[in-house]
């Protein structure tokens, strides 16, 4: 009897390795990036996927240059397999984290500028007051660095607004904010109760760095509606944008998240509905199980964060 079980055990082990290689590749969109995450060579990952395709008699990926994408059969397999792989890979971590007291350990949070300045302070203050022995590190990162920190597990989760969410990351919205126009008090638009797109044409705008998510969205709306505009000044942060608007350098469109506190010297006006609301939420790498500290912090931000799905992030 023992000898009869050995082939099955080896089969299960091989199948798990194949499924892990397949799921990591599906999430990364690249065999080379999947190999880096798995700590394997690229040929080894390719062979495991090919073996899985032979056993199932299907093609799982379409090759298009350096990038690959799932076939319909691949999408079906990923839908069935990725939670199983994540659950098995996170088994040891879940037990070690669950045995760790909530009032000890550490919590690493990644965040962009808006989240760091406007979204996180209140929750951080509450969390640190209730759990003073947890060492908290807030990593203020650009969008690109934020994605890398999540992929490399340098942060437990990140909070921010992202337009293009990579497949290997999860996202769940927590907050929603609209956009507003801000002007100096003596600007003609400051006296308008209703602002339309024609009013914005040809104006001098002060903008944050052009790679910031909110400005990319604003620029897209201008392009879609053929609204010409001039960039008068580009500055390094939303706080600097508000400061220079107040000094009379021009006008700006900002997320309402940055207007939570009164700022002297500027007038706030509503914008047309063509400017969509932005969501800010929590992101983590697929397959990473959150520590009790991370889960508690997210529940403080949104009490029903885990109500619908225990793997919501």
């Amino acid at each position: 009897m023992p000898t009869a079980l050995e082939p099955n055990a080896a089969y299960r082990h091989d199948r798990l390795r194949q499924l892990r290689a397949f799921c990591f590749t599906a999430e990364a969109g690249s065999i080379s990036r999947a190999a880096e995450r798995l700590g394997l060579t690229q040929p080894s990952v390719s062979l495991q996927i090919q073996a899985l395709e032979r056993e199932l008699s299907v093609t799982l990926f379409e090759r298009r240059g350096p990038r690959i994408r799932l076939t319909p059969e691949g999408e079906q397999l990923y839908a069935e397999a990725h939670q199983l792989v994540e659950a098995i890979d996170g088994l040891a971590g879940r037990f070690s984290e669950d045995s760790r007291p909530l009032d000890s350990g550490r919590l690493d949070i990644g965040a962009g500028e808006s989240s760091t300045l406007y979204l996180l302070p209140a929750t951080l203050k509450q969390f640190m007051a209730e759990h003073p022995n947890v060492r908290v590190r807030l990593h203020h990162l650009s969008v690109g660095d934020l994605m890398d920190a999540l992929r490399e597990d340098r942060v437990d989760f990140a909070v921010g607004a992202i337009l293009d969410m990579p497949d290997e990351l999860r996202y769940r919205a927590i907050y929603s904010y609209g956009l507003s126009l801000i002007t100096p008090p003596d600007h003609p638009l400051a006296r308008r109760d209703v602002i339309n797109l024609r009013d914005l044409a040809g104006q001098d705008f002060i903008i944050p760095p052009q790679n910031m998510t909110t400005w990319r969205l604003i620029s897209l709306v201008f392009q879609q509606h053929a609204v010409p505009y001039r960039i008068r000044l580009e500055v390094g942060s939303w706080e600097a944008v508000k400061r220079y608007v107040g000094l009379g350098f021009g006008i700006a469109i900002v997320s309402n998240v940055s207007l939570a506190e009164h700022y002297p010297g500027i007038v706030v006006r509503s914008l047309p509905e063509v400017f969509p609301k932005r969501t800010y939420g929590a992101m983590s790498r697929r397959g990473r199980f959150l520590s009790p500290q991370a889960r508690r912090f997210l529940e403080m931000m949104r009490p029903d964060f885990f109500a619908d799905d225990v793997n919501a992030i």
Side-chain angles (χ1 to χ4, degrees):
M1 289 297 292
T3 56
L5 291 174
E6 290 175 3
N8 289 334
Y11 170 81
R12 288 194 297 271
H13 181 64
D14 289 343
R15 175 54 55 84
L16 178 59
R17 288 194 304 173
Q18 293 167 3
L19 289 174
R20 183 182 290 111
F22 163 72
C23 288
F24 277 46
T25 301
E27 292 163 4
S30 163
I31 290 178
S32 60
R33 287 175 60 184
E36 290 177 7
R37 276 185 62 190
L38 289 163
L40 301 173
T41 64
Q42 186 171 338
S44 176
V45 174
S46 295
L47 288 172
Q48 290 178 22
I49 293 174
Q50 291 169 12
L52 187 61
E53 289 179 321
R54 284 195 303 272
E55 289 184 29
L56 300 179
S57 300
V58 296
T59 299
L60 298 172
F61 292 102
E62 295 177 1
R63 276 73 176 177
R64 295 186 177 182
R67 299 285 296 179
I68 60 176
R69 60 181 297 178
L70 290 169
T71 63
E73 292 82 2
E75 291 178 354
Q76 181 180 354
L77 178 62
Y78 179 76
E80 297 183 14
H82 78 276
Q83 291 185 347
L84 172 64
V85 172
E86 290 177 5
I88 293 175
D89 285 351
L91 189 62
R94 286 203 306 278
F95 275 95
S96 63
E97 294 290 358
D98 288 344
S99 63
R100 183 185 304 168
L102 178 59
D103 289 320
S104 64
R106 61 182 290 172
L107 176 62
D108 286 86
I109 305 171
E113 185 206 20
S114 295
S115 300
T116 299
L117 290 178
Y118 312 118
L119 296 180
L120 291 173
T123 308
L124 270 173
K125 185 175 183 179
Q126 179 187 357
F127 181 88
M128 295 173 71
E130 294 184 11
H131 308 285
N133 295 321
V134 176
R135 184 157 62 95
V136 181
R137 292 187 63 190
L138 181 58
H139 304 253
H140 184 187
L141 302 169
S142 66
V143 173
D145 291 340
L146 203 62
M147 299 297 100
D148 290 339
L150 287 165
R151 294 187 184 103
E152 297 166 9
D153 290 339
R154 288 188 277 116
V155 296
D156 293 287
F157 62 87
V159 178
I162 304 295
L163 285 180
D164 306 311
M165 182 59 58
D167 291 338
E168 67 265 34
L169 302 180
R170 288 173 169 168
Y171 173 83
R172 183 160 190 184
I174 299 176
Y175 306 104
S176 178
Y177 292 94
L179 300 174
S180 292
L181 177 73
I182 60 174
T183 75
D186 60 351
H187 193 279
L189 294 182
R191 296 187 292 271
R192 294 280 187 93
D193 292 328
V194 178
I195 305 293
N196 58 49
L197 286 173
R198 292 190 303 275
D199 297 326
L200 302 177
Q203 297 285 347
D204 290 330
F205 280 86
I206 302 170
I207 69 169
Q210 296 188 47
N211 64 345
M212 288 186 68
T213 302
T214 300
W215 177 253
R216 289 171 57 199
L217 184 66
I218 295 166
S219 179
L220 181 62
V221 172
F222 281 155
Q223 292 174 26
Q224 290 174 338
H225 294 270
V227 176
Y229 64 93
R230 296 186 296 268
I231 296 177
R232 174 67 185 267
L233 182 65
E234 180 177 331
V235 295
S237 69
W238 288 118
E239 288 301 303
V241 168
K242 292 188 290 185
R243 171 68 173 162
Y244 278 87
V245 168
L247 291 172
F249 280 73
I251 64 176
I253 295 174
V254 301
S255 171
N256 290 341
V257 67
S258 69
L259 300 174
E261 298 178 0
H262 174 69
Y263 195 92
I266 63 173
V267 175
V268 180
R269 289 288 178 262
S270 298
L271 285 168
E273 292 183 359
V274 293
F275 290 94
K277 288 187 175 182
R278 296 304 326 282
T279 64
Y280 293 78
M283 296 160 272
S284 73
R285 179 180 61 78
R286 291 187 184 276
R288 181 183 178 90
F289 284 86
L290 296 175
S291 68
Q293 293 84 356
R295 293 177 66 88
R296 175 60 181 148
F297 192 95
L298 291 169
E299 287 174 335
M300 284 183 171
M301 296 182 77
R302 177 177 167 176
D304 66 342
F305 194 92
F306 298 101
D308 299 330
D309 181 1
V310 293
N311 293 317
I313 181 173

